[in-house]
Amino acid sequence: MSQGKKLWLTARFLTLTALMVLVMAGCQEPTMSVLDPKGTVAEEQLSLIQLSVYIMTFVCVVVIGIFVYVLIRFRAKPGDNSIPEQVEGNMKLEILWTVIPIILLAIFAVPTVQKTFSLAEEAPAEGEPLRVKVTAHQYWWEFEYPDLGITTAQEMVIPTGERVYLELESKDVIHSFWVPKLAGKQDLVPGRTNTMWLDAKEPGVYAGRCAELCGASHALMNFEVKAQEPQEFEQWVDERQNPSSEPQNAQQEAGKEVFSQNCMSCHAIDGTAFKTKGEEAPNLTGFGHREKIAGLLEFNDKNLEEWLKNPEDVKPGTYMPSFDYLSDEDMDNLKAYLKSLE
Amino acid sequence: MTGGYNKQWLERFRSHWLWDWITTVDHKKIGILYLLGGGFFFIIGGLEAMLIRIQLFFPNNDFMVGREFNELLTMHGTTMIFFVAMPLLFALMNVAVPLQIGARDVAFPFLNSLGFWLFLAGGILMNLGWFFGNAPDAGWTNYVPIAANEYSAGPGIEYYVLGLQISGIGTLIGGLNFLVTIINMRAPGMSFLRMPLFTWTAFVASALILFAFPALTAGLFLVMFERIFGAAFFDVALGGNPVIWQHLFWIFGHPEVYIVILPAFGIMSDVISTFSKKRLFGYNSMVFAVLLIGFLGFMVWAHHMFTVGLGPVPNSIFAIATMAIAVPTGIKVFNWLFTMWGGKIEFTTAMLWAVGFIPTFVLGGVTGVMLASPAADFQFHDSYFVVAHFHYVLIGGTVFGLFSGAYYWWPKMFGHKLNETLGKWHFWLFFIGFHLTFFIQHFIGLFGMPRRHFTYQATDGLTLLNQISTVGAFMMAIGTIVLAINIYISAKKAIPAGNDPWDARTLEWAISSPPPEYNFAQLPRVRAMDAFWHEKMAGNKTMEPAGPLEPIHMPSSTHLPFFMTLGFFISGLGWVFRSLEVGVLGLVMVALVMFTHSFNHDHGYYIPLKDIKSNDPKKGAKA
């Protein structure tokens, strides 16, 4: 088989594989796809990505077109020992392939600069925009709404159709805040405050990830952004400002006792009148409403017990100690209490 | 009386082949040593890559998780850049550059040997982490504070800091050596604008090393002082700033990308022009493009830091500067295409790698331009899209270039070719496996998977893509095994290839394979670009000598570089284990060897005329 044909076959094979993968991946429905934006920022970023893909596809087609033609047309024929003409160069051609890339880059550079500036817009002083202070910890996320007096963890709740301005800080190492469907990432660097804004166009739960290597459980530092209709959001704010964290039955009462003896120094729960207000670990107010345990495990009894008994197994390097010494009864009571937090 | 340790014993020791290799200052032998060293680390780095891909085969796999996985990815990246790409390029530079410029040797043979041993010592020191304590785990970029004592306990990061510091001295010395060699030791008539492209790229890469590595050295010193002596350059609580490290690292790290890609460009240029039987199209613009890429390479480091929060003004400036690099790179690609245009292309294995390089590198290049846009980069950054991009550039560029160069110069190094059939198997397995592994990763990234994640969730919709990627990686591994078999089989048969097996164009093919110790019996007179081709076209079989046949002065072998390195190694080990005594002891040893070397009155030796003449004329007695 000739080289040209081989190459052609390879090219065909690669294209086919690529198509196949795309189709099959489509069936799998990636939950964090940049290509499926649900917010203004992600949409603008996607439009920039698309523009660059068009330009770059054009470049690739031209180059690979010439490439394939050359390989087929100019391969050495057996028995032909002549020496090809030794061409020095061609000024016109060389200028042509200097100028065309410059033009293409200019087409890409203008919207790039525009969008770079528009995405960096700061929160306006007037109109009381919604601000959230995001603080990253190894390996969890803290979301504080300074104007609303709410602190939560692992889940950031926002109203749809409204710009939310984020202030990003880190308590330990560098992390990176990324919700692919809503907005590109921004680092959280100790010692500085970064800002970004995002919005969600429709209600939903959007997966987020830590994108900067931050230690053993970097891959498990997941979080979610819950976008709700504005009135639903108001309701959530209301609930969180007046949390009902008091035990409703004897088991939960006993659980609260276990909590105060074991968990309270690190975890805070609003509205419980605990003497110490733990701030080292996620605020557990409204824990019973969470979608996930530790931002990761499906919320059920079995997983909750697994997490409490040996967090290190779930998240390597986590700072939460194991509570495997609790008696079965204490454990059940604690779980009941935690689940009751609304 | 002496327990048998007499002069005879010493003599036997000195005549052993191993001692010969340890003490050699011959650039061709050092080239082979670099090839062996780089090849060894290539196996290690490759195994690490396979482990990474195995872990990512299933969602929530628990094969290698947490810190173990971070160690793997750190060691894979660091090994591949510092202990595979750079030394293998140094191998080819050592073999080819002095020959291409018609020199008898490099400018500083002693330093050349020292550079190799320091690289090897650094690589070994760093890999010791696997066996003693723990391996570094903060990524090849070693960002603080994740690399600070508080967040990476144990000696892991010390292995990184000291391993890179030691091998970095070697690289700096090596780069300096090539700069001086190329400036000072060109044969008569070999003007700068007659130099083969590989020599040009080696020259520019060496200049980049000269300016980039000190930034890394400074950064590593700061980390070392912070970790071992409690300084606080990066500690926010004590007034430091972790972003300092990122600037220092990328002021080195970005040019580093060009340090490993430019020589690959050079290899491609030489190989493509040889196997198309044409001179390089637009030679002057190629040289200009290389210089421009080298220059711009220093202006764009902050594009690795778009998400750090530098603000839209610096981000935009660095974005435009980065995009500008696409212009000279584009010039090169079109010049390669038009070198083949109108030629007679012969698809040897070396040429296949060069040809496979073009579309692959173009793909890596265009994603580079995409990444240069800060607003879009907020989505790409630290995702698998970036992983795909830089593997397209580093494998599709550097590794393909290395393979091409290895097949091309193998007969010059060892006197026999590598088997072409096995070579083609190697190419196709590796080439297809490569695209299967990394093309997919663009989509893994766009579908939201961050890099350096040891797992993904079953519900993320990333399973199949990751599995395909892993299968591709295994194909690449099989391809590499074919290469190993090829090397073994070809060496066993060892069919002599002759001086000029490819009907090539540059000076190195004018002398015997492998060349004698002194390269050229008489330095050649260079009368045109592609000097040897010019002579062949003029009907001459050999180069015209530039001077009379005279005894040749050569430097003596020396064991001092090896022992100086040993001193550095011991010292490094001392600091890793935070033992002041051992750390200082090693440095004292270094100083002693330096002292010895300074007062060593060894003027080298002469090869008498009769020995030069007695060499078979076909084997390169004449230049």
Side-chain angles (χ1 to χ4, degrees), chain B residues 34 37-38 41-42 74-90 115-116 118-120 122-123 126-127 139-142 160 163-171 212-213 216-217 220 245 249 252-253 256-257 259-260 394:
Chain B
Y34 266 117
F41 289 117
F42 186 53
T74 304
M75 289 300 287
H76 168 69
T78 316
T79 301
M80 286 300 192
I81 292 280
F82 291 98
F83 304 121
V84 178
M86 302 244 305
L88 287 180
L89 286 168
F90 266 29
F116 165 75
L118 285 169
F119 136 69
L120 190 70
M126 199 164 128
N127 276 280
W140 88 278
T141 52
N142 202 54
Y160 174 96
L164 286 195
Q165 200 68 294
I166 290 173
S167 72
I169 306 170
T171 308
F213 266 72
L216 177 69
T217 307
L220 290 174
W245 164 262
F249 184 84
F252 146 78
E256 169 70 15
V257 177
I259 292 170
V260 294
L394 289 172

Side-chain angles (χ1 to χ4, degrees), chain A residues 28-47:
Chain A
Q28 275 205 320
E29 283 183 29
T31 49
M32 297 171 290
S33 179
V34 169
L35 308 177
D36 177 26
K38 297 286 187 231
T40 312
V41 178
E43 272 172 11
E44 286 194 15
Q45 287 167 332
L46 181 62
S47 74

Side-chain angles (χ1 to χ4, degrees), chain A residues 34 76 86 94 178 185 192, chain B residues 285 309 345 378 381 446 505:
Chain A
V34 169
Q86 304 291 304
E94 286 169 57
W178 189 26
K185 60 192 77 61
R192 62 184 296 151
Chain B
S285 65
I345 305 171
F378 292 161
H381 185 76
L446 289 174
R505 314 174 69 86

Side-chain angles (χ1 to χ4, degrees), chain B residues 370-391:
Chain B
M370 292 170 71
L371 286 165
S373 163
D377 181 67
F378 292 161
Q379 288 286 19
F380 298 135
H381 185 76
D382 270 338
S383 79
Y384 263 79
F385 190 87
V386 175
V387 179
H389 158 71
F390 70 71
H391 281 94

Side-chain angles (χ1 to χ4, degrees), chain B residues 33-68:
Chain B
L33 286 174
Y34 266 117
L35 202 62
L36 284 170
F40 169 70
F41 289 117
F42 186 53
I43 295 170
I44 294 180
L47 286 175
E48 282 154 2
M50 299 318 291
L51 294 176
I52 289 173
R53 286 312 320 168
I54 291 172
Q55 161 64 20
L56 291 172
F57 195 78
F58 295 113
N60 280 318
N61 198 0
D62 58 1
F63 173 61
M64 290 196 122
V65 299
R67 186 172 192 172
E68 257 177 25

Side-chain angles (χ1 to χ4, degrees), chain B residues 101 177-186 192 195 203:
Chain B
I101 59 173
N177 198 358
F178 279 112
L179 278 180
V180 178
T181 304
I182 295 171
I183 292 172
N184 278 345
M185 300 188 61
R186 284 166 291 129
F192 265 100
M195 290 197 315
F203 180 70

